PDB file of all heavy atoms in Angstrom:
ATOM      1  N   ALA A 443      -1.117   7.160  13.224  1.00  0.00           N
ATOM      2  CA  ALA A 443      -0.672   6.332  12.014  1.00  0.00           C
ATOM      3  C   ALA A 443       0.529   6.912  11.344  1.00  0.00           C
ATOM      4  O   ALA A 443       0.540   7.011  10.143  1.00  0.00           O
ATOM      5  CB  ALA A 443      -1.786   6.063  11.031  1.00  0.00           C
ATOM      6  N   LEU A 444       1.480   7.460  12.091  1.00  0.00           N
ATOM      7  CA  LEU A 444       2.709   8.058  11.521  1.00  0.00           C
ATOM      8  C   LEU A 444       3.897   7.100  11.724  1.00  0.00           C
ATOM      9  O   LEU A 444       4.096   6.549  12.811  1.00  0.00           O
ATOM     10  CB  LEU A 444       2.933   9.374  12.284  1.00  0.00           C
ATOM     11  CG  LEU A 444       1.951  10.492  12.147  1.00  0.00           C
ATOM     12  CD1 LEU A 444       2.304  11.565  13.148  1.00  0.00           C
ATOM     13  CD2 LEU A 444       1.873  10.965  10.712  1.00  0.00           C
ATOM     14  N   PRO A 445       4.655   6.892  10.755  1.00  0.00           N
ATOM     15  CA  PRO A 445       5.901   6.061  10.769  1.00  0.00           C
ATOM     16  C   PRO A 445       6.904   6.648  11.749  1.00  0.00           C
ATOM     17  O   PRO A 445       7.601   6.010  12.464  1.00  0.00           O
ATOM     18  CB  PRO A 445       6.366   5.901   9.450  1.00  0.00           C
ATOM     19  CG  PRO A 445       5.833   7.015   8.612  1.00  0.00           C
ATOM     20  CD  PRO A 445       4.482   7.383   9.315  1.00  0.00           C
ATOM     21  N   ASP A 446       6.993   7.967  11.711  1.00  0.00           N
ATOM     22  CA  ASP A 446       7.964   8.717  12.532  1.00  0.00           C
ATOM     23  C   ASP A 446       7.587  10.208  12.554  1.00  0.00           C
ATOM     24  O   ASP A 446       6.656  10.621  11.859  1.00  0.00           O
ATOM     25  CB  ASP A 446       9.399   8.528  12.118  1.00  0.00           C
ATOM     26  CG  ASP A 446       9.525   8.818  10.608  1.00  0.00           C
ATOM     27  OD1 ASP A 446       8.987   9.862  10.089  1.00  0.00           O
ATOM     28  OD2 ASP A 446      10.208   8.015   9.880  1.00  0.00           O
ATOM     29  N   LEU A 447       8.294  11.026  13.331  1.00  0.00           N
ATOM     30  CA  LEU A 447       7.866  12.451  13.440  1.00  0.00           C
ATOM     31  C   LEU A 447       8.174  13.210  12.088  1.00  0.00           C
ATOM     32  O   LEU A 447       7.531  14.225  11.856  1.00  0.00           O
ATOM     33  CB  LEU A 447       8.736  13.032  14.589  1.00  0.00           C
ATOM     34  CG  LEU A 447       8.292  12.684  15.961  1.00  0.00           C
ATOM     35  CD1 LEU A 447       9.234  13.301  16.984  1.00  0.00           C
ATOM     36  CD2 LEU A 447       6.866  13.090  16.288  1.00  0.00           C
ATOM     37  N   ALA A 448       9.049  12.718  11.289  1.00  0.00           N
ATOM     38  CA  ALA A 448       9.374  13.330   9.984  1.00  0.00           C
ATOM     39  C   ALA A 448       8.139  13.254   9.097  1.00  0.00           C
ATOM     40  O   ALA A 448       8.031  14.031   8.137  1.00  0.00           O
ATOM     41  CB  ALA A 448      10.559  12.633   9.363  1.00  0.00           C
ATOM     42  N   ALA A 449       7.187  12.413   9.382  1.00  0.00           N
ATOM     43  CA  ALA A 449       5.985  12.193   8.601  1.00  0.00           C
ATOM     44  C   ALA A 449       4.921  13.265   8.964  1.00  0.00           C
ATOM     45  O   ALA A 449       3.863  13.298   8.313  1.00  0.00           O
ATOM     46  CB  ALA A 449       5.401  10.809   8.629  1.00  0.00           C
ATOM     47  N   LEU A 450       5.115  14.093  10.003  1.00  0.00           N
ATOM     48  CA  LEU A 450       4.185  15.136  10.279  1.00  0.00           C
ATOM     49  C   LEU A 450       4.011  16.076   9.141  1.00  0.00           C
ATOM     50  O   LEU A 450       5.018  16.397   8.468  1.00  0.00           O
ATOM     51  CB  LEU A 450       4.645  15.869  11.580  1.00  0.00           C
ATOM     52  CG  LEU A 450       4.380  15.232  12.915  1.00  0.00           C
ATOM     53  CD1 LEU A 450       5.156  15.992  14.012  1.00  0.00           C
ATOM     54  CD2 LEU A 450       2.894  15.164  13.292  1.00  0.00           C
ATOM     55  N   PRO A 451       2.806  16.619   8.917  1.00  0.00           N
ATOM     56  CA  PRO A 451       2.657  17.656   7.862  1.00  0.00           C
ATOM     57  C   PRO A 451       3.552  18.828   8.237  1.00  0.00           C
ATOM     58  O   PRO A 451       3.698  19.169   9.348  1.00  0.00           O
ATOM     59  CB  PRO A 451       1.192  18.007   7.972  1.00  0.00           C
ATOM     60  CG  PRO A 451       0.591  16.804   8.542  1.00  0.00           C
ATOM     61  CD  PRO A 451       1.520  16.258   9.491  1.00  0.00           C
ATOM     62  N   ARG A 452       4.098  19.477   7.217  1.00  0.00           N
ATOM     63  CA  ARG A 452       4.978  20.638   7.469  1.00  0.00           C
ATOM     64  C   ARG A 452       4.109  21.785   7.915  1.00  0.00           C
ATOM     65  O   ARG A 452       3.013  22.028   7.412  1.00  0.00           O
ATOM     66  CB  ARG A 452       5.777  21.056   6.216  1.00  0.00           C
ATOM     67  CG  ARG A 452       6.737  19.952   5.733  1.00  0.00           C
ATOM     68  CD  ARG A 452       7.473  20.530   4.531  1.00  0.00           C
ATOM     69  NE  ARG A 452       6.605  21.012   3.533  1.00  0.00           N
ATOM     70  CZ  ARG A 452       7.021  21.764   2.521  1.00  0.00           C
ATOM     71  NH1 ARG A 452       8.267  22.137   2.382  1.00  0.00           N
ATOM     72  NH2 ARG A 452       6.106  22.202   1.614  1.00  0.00           N
ATOM     73  N   ARG A 453       4.641  22.550   8.930  1.00  0.00           N
ATOM     74  CA  ARG A 453       3.945  23.760   9.308  1.00  0.00           C
ATOM     75  C   ARG A 453       3.720  24.754   8.230  1.00  0.00           C
ATOM     76  O   ARG A 453       2.684  25.418   8.131  1.00  0.00           O
ATOM     77  CB  ARG A 453       4.706  24.394  10.471  1.00  0.00           C
ATOM     78  CG  ARG A 453       4.534  23.687  11.842  1.00  0.00           C
ATOM     79  CD  ARG A 453       5.427  24.265  12.906  1.00  0.00           C
ATOM     80  NE  ARG A 453       6.857  24.004  12.675  1.00  0.00           N
ATOM     81  CZ  ARG A 453       7.801  24.480  13.422  1.00  0.00           C
ATOM     82  NH1 ARG A 453       7.545  25.256  14.388  1.00  0.00           N
ATOM     83  NH2 ARG A 453       9.042  24.203  13.181  1.00  0.00           N
ATOM     84  N   GLU A 454       4.663  24.791   7.288  1.00  0.00           N
ATOM     85  CA  GLU A 454       4.581  25.655   6.149  1.00  0.00           C
ATOM     86  C   GLU A 454       3.328  25.365   5.296  1.00  0.00           C
ATOM     87  O   GLU A 454       2.700  26.259   4.761  1.00  0.00           O
ATOM     88  CB  GLU A 454       5.796  25.580   5.250  1.00  0.00           C
ATOM     89  CG  GLU A 454       7.097  26.078   5.911  1.00  0.00           C
ATOM     90  CD  GLU A 454       7.712  25.104   6.872  1.00  0.00           C
ATOM     91  OE1 GLU A 454       7.168  23.992   6.990  1.00  0.00           O
ATOM     92  OE2 GLU A 454       8.768  25.369   7.431  1.00  0.00           O
ATOM     93  N   ASP A 455       2.922  24.038   5.227  1.00  0.00           N
ATOM     94  CA  ASP A 455       1.795  23.653   4.512  1.00  0.00           C
ATOM     95  C   ASP A 455       0.473  24.239   5.059  1.00  0.00           C
ATOM     96  O   ASP A 455      -0.392  24.638   4.408  1.00  0.00           O
ATOM     97  CB  ASP A 455       1.708  22.111   4.455  1.00  0.00           C
ATOM     98  CG  ASP A 455       2.823  21.521   3.577  1.00  0.00           C
ATOM     99  OD1 ASP A 455       3.334  22.189   2.728  1.00  0.00           O
ATOM    100  OD2 ASP A 455       3.191  20.366   3.793  1.00  0.00           O
ATOM    101  N   PHE A 456       0.517  24.293   6.441  1.00  0.00           N
ATOM    102  CA  PHE A 456      -0.633  24.802   7.090  1.00  0.00           C
ATOM    103  C   PHE A 456      -0.861  26.326   6.767  1.00  0.00           C
ATOM    104  O   PHE A 456      -1.862  26.850   6.527  1.00  0.00           O
ATOM    105  CB  PHE A 456      -0.591  24.636   8.607  1.00  0.00           C
ATOM    106  CG  PHE A 456      -0.647  23.223   9.025  1.00  0.00           C
ATOM    107  CD1 PHE A 456       0.212  22.728   9.991  1.00  0.00           C
ATOM    108  CD2 PHE A 456      -1.638  22.375   8.606  1.00  0.00           C
ATOM    109  CE1 PHE A 456       0.161  21.413  10.419  1.00  0.00           C
ATOM    110  CE2 PHE A 456      -1.744  21.079   8.967  1.00  0.00           C
ATOM    111  CZ  PHE A 456      -0.838  20.547   9.854  1.00  0.00           C
ATOM    112  N   LEU A 457       0.306  27.020   6.714  1.00  0.00           N
ATOM    113  CA  LEU A 457       0.300  28.381   6.533  1.00  0.00           C
ATOM    114  C   LEU A 457      -0.103  28.692   4.993  1.00  0.00           C
ATOM    115  O   LEU A 457      -0.857  29.700   4.779  1.00  0.00           O
ATOM    116  CB  LEU A 457       1.691  29.029   6.775  1.00  0.00           C
ATOM    117  CG  LEU A 457       2.202  28.987   8.181  1.00  0.00           C
ATOM    118  CD1 LEU A 457       3.669  29.548   8.292  1.00  0.00           C
ATOM    119  CD2 LEU A 457       1.272  29.793   9.086  1.00  0.00           C
ATOM    120  N   LEU A 458       0.360  27.834   4.122  1.00  0.00           N
ATOM    121  CA  LEU A 458      -0.029  27.972   2.740  1.00  0.00           C
ATOM    122  C   LEU A 458      -1.522  27.769   2.515  1.00  0.00           C
ATOM    123  O   LEU A 458      -2.138  28.449   1.778  1.00  0.00           O
ATOM    124  CB  LEU A 458       0.834  27.095   1.856  1.00  0.00           C
ATOM    125  CG  LEU A 458       2.301  27.406   1.692  1.00  0.00           C
ATOM    126  CD1 LEU A 458       3.070  26.356   1.032  1.00  0.00           C
ATOM    127  CD2 LEU A 458       2.503  28.805   0.984  1.00  0.00           C
TER     128      LEU A 458
END
Side-chain angles (χ1 to χ4, degrees):
L444 298 170
D446 51 45
L447 289 173
L450 281 168
R452 296 184 308 164
R453 284 175 288 176
E454 293 81 358
D455 293 337
F456 293 134
L457 295 176
L458 289 173

